[in-house]
Amino acid sequence: MKRVLASVLLAAAFPASAETLHQRTLTLDTHLDTPMHFARQGWSFGDKHSYDTDLVQVDMGRMDEGDLDGGFFVIYTEQGPVTAEGFAKAKAFALGRADLIRTTLAKFPDRIALISTAADAKRMDVAGKRFGWLSIENSYPLGEDLSLLKTFYDLGVRLAGPVHGKNNQFADSSTDTPQWNGLSPLGRQWVAEMNRLGIVIDGSHSSDAAFDQMLALSKTPLILSHSGSKTISDQPRNLDDARIRKLAEAGGVICVTTVFLAPMNFTPERNALFGQLENIGTMTPEEQAKLTRETRALDAVMPIQNTDFEAFMKSLLHIIKVAGVDHVGIGADWDGGGGVKGLEDIGGLPKVTERLRAEGFSDADIEKIWSGNVLRVLRLAEENAAQH
């Protein structure tokens, strides 16, 4: 059913050749922040919403429109105090978010499934269903209890990063002043436990030193779920090309983001709106509509970044050149600040496939970029865990 619907939706907007290729390609995105919306009153993930009148960039309707087969739904926890009280509050939040993702996907059993392996993704695609894994952005909720990684693994987590925008008990953040000069002693234990369980390490948001140490310590390749190149835009969240090459040499994958392509306009007004957005699940429909209007009004006069689809493609093509086609994926940071002019939501994803084909990439290479490279790393993590 999803292929038939996607074919109808795509045919109206994209050339037949690109539409056919995109439709038959297994596509996934490694960083979907959409779960913050799953508890909203009067809103359903199963519907198709409008970018202009709703803040969400990913829903089942647009998964059909843009033929996004699946991806990693993020358990994001805001960094709080590194204390017992902070850990307890964060743990409760993260477990609740994991449950919310699972129950939301379970509402649509004929359309999407929660999966746990690379083989599951292939199986769901053949069956004509969308799919999702869980991922952790910021391992802060684990506190100092690494046994909780198994708890989250059992819930479906297969990708996790140690840190977000501020340092925590595991590692330094790329956007904070160094505390550990990379990983903490507990962070090194975190790497070993991630390997043992078969959860892929996500290097996005980690400091350069933490990235270097994870790359050296991990027995399986890393994924950067939503990162870019400092050559394109010299910002702390991006990785220099030398490190991108080292990631590739170690078998890893950098999934290219639509964020940090240009200077970011994180003004006080924008940050205040982001703060409200984190709590959108507790808002009334009227409050949600007001937040949407205010956000779109600010977007019109001062977008988060003043850039477009061509800038994203320039970044993607540069990173493919640096890392090689076997080590690049897509992680646009949808619903986490992602999207650019001309690629505002996932409905436009066939444009990426169309452009890659126009640049001369083979069908096989395009499949690697959209999913094959990430699935390879997942399989390696599974195989390594099976040997323990």
Side-chain angles (χ1 to χ4, degrees):
M1 176 61 73
K2 70 160 189 173
R3 292 301 191 194
V4 173
L5 181 56
S7 179
V8 172
L9 292 168
L10 287 169
F14 300 99
S17 59
E19 169 235 320
T20 302
L21 173 59
H22 190 80
Q23 182 184 350
R24 69 171 182 260
T25 299
L26 176 58
T27 57
L28 64 86
D29 187 289
T30 48
H31 196 82
L32 304 173
D33 275 310
T34 314
M36 74 172 68
H37 297 275
F38 284 174
R40 287 171 60 179
Q41 298 178 46
W43 187 92
S44 173
F45 180 60
D47 297 336
K48 179 185 174 184
H49 304 274
S50 166
Y51 174 79
D52 292 331
T53 59
D54 192 278
L55 293 175
V56 176
Q57 295 171 304
V58 179
D59 52 41
M60 291 293 297
R62 280 174 288 182
M63 289 181 84
D64 290 336
E65 181 182 39
D67 203 16
L68 178 66
D69 291 309
F72 289 84
F73 290 94
V74 177
I75 302 167
Y76 164 69
T77 309
E78 187 176 5
Q79 182 64 45
V82 183
T83 63
E85 182 180 1
F87 294 153
K89 184 178 179 180
K91 174 185 172 182
F93 176 87
L95 288 171
R97 181 56 56 89
D99 183 64
L100 178 61
I101 297 170
R102 291 170 60 88
T103 56
T104 299
L105 300 191
K107 292 177 181 178
F108 312 100
D110 296 330
R111 300 172 67 187
I112 192 167
L114 181 69
I115 64 172
S116 60
T117 69
D120 287 342
K122 295 282 190 179
R123 181 167 54 83
M124 288 298 104
D125 191 51
V126 170
K129 292 175 69 172
R130 310 290 174 193
F131 57 84
W133 297 271
L134 273 63
S135 67
I136 289 175
E137 184 176 35
N138 195 7
S139 288
Y140 166 63
L142 302 177
E144 296 176 339
D145 182 5
L146 291 179
S147 71
L148 284 174
L149 273 175
K150 178 63 163 59
T151 300
F152 283 101
Y153 176 89
D154 290 341
L155 290 171
V157 169
R158 293 298 181 271
L159 177 68
V163 70
H164 189 248
K166 297 291 183 181
N167 303 337
N168 64 16
Q169 69 272 31
F170 296 111
D172 292 335
S173 168
S174 62
T175 49
D176 201 354
T177 303
Q179 174 184 355
W180 304 105
N181 293 316
L183 295 172
S184 71
L186 185 62
R188 292 173 179 270
Q189 296 174 39
W190 177 90
V191 170
E193 184 64 4
M194 290 278 288
N195 285 170
R196 188 187 74 81
L197 290 170
I199 306 176
V200 176
I201 293 171
D202 182 357
S204 289
H205 283 288
S206 295
S207 69
D208 286 349
F211 168 84
D212 292 343
Q213 291 160 23
M214 290 189 294
L215 198 66
L217 290 170
S218 181
K219 295 179 180 178
T220 59
L222 275 57
I223 286 175
L224 273 65
S225 68
H226 56 307
S227 290
S229 165
K230 278 188 167 71
T231 297
I232 296 298
S233 186
D234 189 6
Q235 302 187 54
R237 266 284 283 114
N238 291 336
L239 208 65
D240 61 78
D241 288 352
R243 284 186 168 86
I244 293 175
R245 292 188 188 95
K246 288 180 180 178
L247 175 74
E249 289 167 2
V253 179
I254 176 171
C255 299
V256 182
T257 182
T258 58
V259 188
F260 300 105
L261 298 172
M264 305 297 292
N265 294 317
F266 291 133
T267 63
E269 186 178 3
R270 177 68 67 180
N271 290 337
L273 292 173
F274 275 149
Q276 293 181 56
L277 182 61
E278 287 297 329
N279 298 304
I280 196 168
T282 65
M283 292 182 174
T284 65
E286 293 75 19
E287 290 169 335
Q288 296 173 34
K290 180 175 181 289
L291 176 59
T292 300
R293 290 193 301 271
E294 291 174 350
T295 300
R296 292 292 173 251
L298 182 59
D299 290 344
V301 297
M302 184 176 288
I304 298 174
Q305 54 176 347
N306 189 22
T307 191
D308 58 16
F309 175 72
E310 288 303 316
F312 168 71
M313 287 306 307
K314 178 182 178 182
S315 175
L316 177 59
L317 293 170
H318 172 78
I319 291 172
I320 292 172
K321 182 177 180 180
V322 172
V325 75
D326 294 321
H327 303 284
V328 177
I330 304 291
D333 205 0
W334 298 118
D335 293 319
V340 292
K341 295 174 187 175
L343 189 64
E344 287 85 0
D345 61 25
I346 62 167
L349 291 180
K351 293 173 62 174
V352 179
T353 302
E354 178 186 3
R355 182 62 178 276
L356 288 171
R357 168 176 270 183
E359 294 288 339
F361 290 95
S362 69
D363 292 6
D365 284 345
I366 292 172
E367 176 108 25
K368 289 178 183 178
I369 294 165
W370 269 120
S371 63
N373 296 331
V374 169
L375 295 179
R376 170 182 56 79
V377 174
L378 285 169
R379 285 192 296 269
L380 289 172
E382 294 165 14
E383 291 165 4
N384 179 71
Q387 296 172 5
H388 285 81

